[in-house]
Amino acid sequence: RCPFSYGIFIGTMSVVTLLKRRQKELAQRPSLPSLPICEVVFVLGGPGAGKGTQCQLLEERLEGWVHLSTGELLRAERKSGGELGDIINAKIDAGELVPSSITVKCLEQGMIAAFKKDKSTKFLIDGFPRSKENMQAWDKTMNDHTIKFVLDFECPEE
């Protein structure tokens, strides 16, 4: 058995459990002031599994959906020279993972930018969450948004 596939399975099960809890809490929470309640699809899979390619195709073919790549958002933030960029650069230079709260903040900023640009409220989020900690960080800030489902691409090594 592939340990990567097993890890994705466990991560997906954690997401499903959290989704069920969120549905109960959603009616009680107000939406973020700068962003209405959005629909989100998390797109998971290993490197080279086709997450980005499939998200681009879905974005082209499904009206109103916007592809947000976690990696691209983090790279853009690194280059921006802002406070978040400095934190990301410091973590990467130290060989550490970028904190989940920073990743979620970059996703939130990407969603807000897309909403301001063309009123988008439907997002395909590529490469997130990668862990239970990522999902917990999402819940702290972005719990108001509706996670429609999770796409998990598995690509054999052959």
Side-chain angles (χ1 to χ4, degrees), residues 11-12 63 81 89 99 126 142:
T12 302
E63 188 176 329
N89 285 326
D126 165 2
M142 308 291 277

Side-chain angles (χ1 to χ4, degrees), residues 63-125:
E63 188 176 329
W65 286 87
V66 174
H67 172 213
L68 295 177
S69 167
T70 305
E72 287 178 18
L73 290 170
L74 289 169
R75 283 187 287 278
E77 192 61 40
R78 285 183 75 186
K79 291 179 184 177
S80 74
E83 182 181 340
L84 285 180
D86 292 342
I87 295 169
I88 294 167
N89 285 326
K91 290 293 183 181
I92 290 173
D93 290 345
E96 300 173 11
L97 293 174
V98 175
S100 297
S101 59
I102 301 293
T103 304
V104 170
K105 187 68 177 168
C106 288
L107 287 168
E108 181 180 32
Q109 289 175 351
M111 291 170 71
I112 290 170
F115 178 72
K116 286 180 179 178
K117 179 181 175 188
D118 58 12
K119 301 297 182 210
S120 299
T121 60
K122 298 177 183 179
F123 298 96
L124 300 162
I125 297 181

Side-chain angles (χ1 to χ4, degrees), residues 14 18 31 39-40 48 61-62 81 93 130:
S14 297
L18 290 170
S31 64
E39 295 179 16
V40 173
R61 295 174 184 177
L62 299 175
D93 290 345
R130 292 182 182 227

